[in-house]
Amino acid sequence: MQQYFSDIPLVVGQEYIFNKDQAHHAKNVVRLHHETIRLVYDGIGYFADAYSKGKDFVAMVLEKDELGVEVTLAMGLIRKEKFELVLQKACELGVTRIVPFESIRCVVRAKKEKEDKQQARRIDILQEAAEQCKRNRI
């Protein structure tokens, strides 16, 4: 079952119109045709029936799907590649919050000038991991 994240609130009984990237993935890559998928908005999952409608790809929201445990991971800063792997695996295992910290013994130090670029990359990694393991939250 495929999962997609929504930028707009979802309502049971209404249609959700996929954005350009989601529509391409659903229509051309996965080739969905009247199949059940999961849509997630603000941590709340919904089951929906996905199909093509004219030029758009849409999903009829059918019912709500709720989950519930919260886990926090606090970890010292490590090298970039290893940190990204930890982010991905922690997300796949169900961690709801990751708190990186800089300790006295850390070799790696946070750099303010690269913070925005790193944050965007980390969000992309977390979103892909959340979609892969069908999480409700990024």
Side-chain angles (χ1 to χ4, degrees), residues 72-130:
T72 300
L73 170 66
M75 62 173 287
L77 291 177
I78 56 178
R79 281 188 247 133
K80 179 185 170 189
E81 298 81 21
K82 302 281 185 187
F83 187 76
E84 290 174 354
L85 181 65
V86 169
L87 285 177
Q88 179 186 10
K89 297 307 173 188
C91 182
E92 290 173 0
L93 289 171
V95 173
T96 53
R97 191 168 54 149
I98 300 168
V99 182
F101 63 90
E102 198 172 298
S103 70
I104 295 171
R105 302 243 181 212
C106 282
V107 175
V108 177
R109 300 285 177 214
K111 297 177 182 171
K112 297 291 182 198
E113 61 272 1
K114 293 185 177 181
E115 194 172 310
D116 293 336
K117 190 175 180 182
Q118 288 176 341
Q119 187 70 9
R121 172 140 172 85
R122 291 173 182 166
I123 289 171
D124 289 343
I125 290 169
L126 291 171
Q127 182 168 353
E128 289 172 8

Side-chain angles (χ1 to χ4, degrees), residues 7-42:
D7 295 336
I8 59 172
L10 300 169
V11 179
V12 175
Q14 289 186 355
E15 285 185 339
Y16 167 74
I17 300 172
F18 284 71
N19 66 34
K20 182 181 174 184
D21 293 333
Q22 291 173 334
H24 169 74
H25 184 266
K27 187 187 282 186
N28 301 326
V29 178
V30 185
R31 296 186 179 144
L32 296 177
H33 181 69
H34 282 287
E35 294 183 40
T36 302
I37 62 167
R38 284 187 81 230
L39 292 172
V40 178
Y41 174 75
D42 197 27

